[in-house]
Structures are given as structure tokens and as C-alpha cells.
Amino acid sequence: MRILLVEDEPDISRQLRAALGDAGYVVDIAPDGEEGQFLGETEPYDAVILDLGLPKVDGVSVLERWRRAGLSTPVLILTARGGWSDKVAGFDAGADDYLTKPFHTEELLARLRALLRRAAGHAQPMLTCGDLRLDPKAARATVNGEPLRLTSLEYRLLHYMMMHGDRVISRTELVEHLYDQDFDRDSNTIEVFIGRLRKKVGPERVETVRGLGYRLMPIGAA
Ligand code: CA
């Protein structure tokens, strides 16, 4: 899952990048509204964390422009304490959730998980595909109850595929959602990671759909 963080306070950015990274997300950071707006329009993010008080273009204006352009990515806004009118303006502009500064990182991560889950149409926090289970809160996966030992990239790959387990996912889509913008992206490396994931979860669980991409197969009882 790839997240855009639009935040001008370096301390908060640094802290959130680390926490989001530990939780298995890749993060791009924009330090002002202008760059944030541009990245949000040009890169495919799974969710956006948007501070409202930003240099160059304020957060509400950024959000309004995104929504006007048809962008439906879930957006969590960060507002100043007591800024109730900011919250109203943010929701009117198309925000999906908000947090008031200062906030606990754990709460932000919990809200983000809920946003991503709803956006992908999942009501349950635990993701399942046959007897394959993934817990986004603990960042752990099991097959038939047995814990899987996954590298962070393998975990991100499995998490993304389980979020979208009902359809075929192209290599391009995987590359766009598993790496941040600075990564030298080569869609051939995805094949290597798919191969490693197959070894760990069982080859029959990851089907290759010729010319289209990959699909997770539900094997075993949930
Ligand atoms: Ca700010």
C-alpha cells in the first residue's frame, strides 16, 4: 500500500514516515500543497494523509481540486486543535476522516487501516483468501494457521494482493503500489518477488493470468 503524506512540519513527516514504514506502507512526502496536489494527481496512491495548514496551497484547496478532477483516493486530514471549522471545510471538500494535532501515531495507523479497508470494500479487519490470512494491524500473515516469514516487500505484495483478491492485478499496478516515487522501478523485479512469494505460500495460490497479471487463488477453508 502506497501512501502520500502532505505535511510541512519536518518532525511530523519524519516520525510518520518511520511509523508508516514499520507498519508495511511505502510513503511519499510532499512538504507543501503545490507538490502534494501534483503528486496526488500523477501517482496512484492507496490513501493520502493531508495536513490542512500548508505553504503555497492550503490543504482544503488541494482536496477540492483533487475531488473536482475526479480523484477518489481516501483522504485523512490533519487539523489544528480547536479548528472545528477546518474539519467542516475539510469534509465538505471531500475528506474521509480527520485527526486533530497532536495525535497518537497508533490512532493514525488505526484510522488509516479502516480507510484502506473501506476503500477496498472489506468490512473485516482480517484479510482472508482460502486459509491464507493477513492481519494488517500486526503486519503478519499465516497459511493454515502457520506463520509466514515474509520480507517487507513480500509482505507488501501479499497485503496489496489480498486487499484486491477478487481480481487480476497487473505487474504495472503492483509496481505503482509497492514502491515509492524515488525507487528505480522495473516491473521485471515484480516477477522475482512473485516467485519468492509463491515459494512461501505455495505456488498454486498465485495464478499467472497470461498477458494480464496475477490473481490470488482461495485454497483451503477460511
Ligand atoms: Ca502545517
Side-chain angles (χ1 to χ4, degrees):
M1 301 278 145
R2 190 172 166 204
I3 311 294
L4 172 63
L5 171 62
V6 191
E7 169 62 76
D8 58 319
E9 287 164 61
D11 285 350
I12 298 181
S13 292
R14 236 188 335 263
Q15 191 189 330
L16 283 185
R17 185 201 278 276
L20 289 164
D22 288 347
Y25 302 102
V26 281
V27 189
D28 290 337
I29 293 176
D32 61 65
E34 197 174 82
E35 190 175 338
Q37 188 193 334
F38 174 76
L39 282 177
E41 279 169 0
T42 50
E43 297 286 329
Y45 294 102
D46 295 291
V48 179
I49 301 166
L50 176 68
D51 185 29
L52 292 189
L54 290 168
K56 295 188 184 173
V57 184
D58 69 274
V60 169
S61 301
V62 170
L63 185 51
E64 278 171 353
R65 291 173 194 177
W66 281 341
R67 294 307 189 221
R68 219 178 296 135
L71 197 85
S72 60
T73 314
V75 173
L76 185 150
I77 53 172
L78 303 177
T79 65
R81 199 210 298 261
W84 66 268
S85 56
D86 283 356
K87 283 172 208 158
V88 174
F91 277 119
D92 282 343
D96 298 275
D97 199 0
Y98 77 93
L99 259 181
T100 303
K101 286 179 174 179
F103 53 84
H104 290 282
T105 308
E106 281 307 315
E107 184 177 358
L108 179 121
L109 293 174
R111 288 182 180 275
L112 189 60
R113 284 193 296 273
L115 271 189
L116 290 166
R117 197 163 73 216
R118 286 201 297 269
H122 295 280
Q124 300 295 332
M126 188 74 82
L127 300 173
T128 58
C129 182
D131 61 11
L132 190 58
R133 290 167 73 83
L134 186 141
D135 178 357
K137 182 165 188 273
R140 271 199 296 262
T142 58
V143 166
N144 198 13
E146 294 292 317
L148 284 169
R149 283 164 185 266
L150 301 173
T151 63
S152 68
L153 207 134
E154 290 160 3
Y155 173 81
R156 295 202 308 253
L157 177 59
L158 185 62
H159 187 190
Y160 190 82
M161 292 191 82
M162 288 188 77
M163 269 292 198
H164 304 278
D166 49 346
R167 59 179 176 84
V168 177
I169 304 168
S170 72
R171 274 198 292 181
T172 311
E173 181 177 344
L174 287 172
V175 170
E176 285 177 343
H177 289 266
L178 297 183
Y179 300 115
D180 61 39
Q181 58 169 342
D182 300 327
F183 195 86
D184 174 23
R185 298 181 203 165
D186 173 0
S187 68
N188 290 315
T189 60
I190 285 292
E191 258 179 290
V192 175
F193 286 109
I194 287 279
R196 289 190 199 162
L197 187 63
R198 276 201 177 110
K199 275 193 193 136
K200 293 188 179 176
V201 300
E204 69 285 359
R205 289 176 200 270
V206 187
E207 185 194 30
T208 301
V209 184
R210 242 176 147 34
L212 292 177
Y214 305 99
R215 179 165 51 199
L216 273 186
M217 302 302 284
I219 290 175

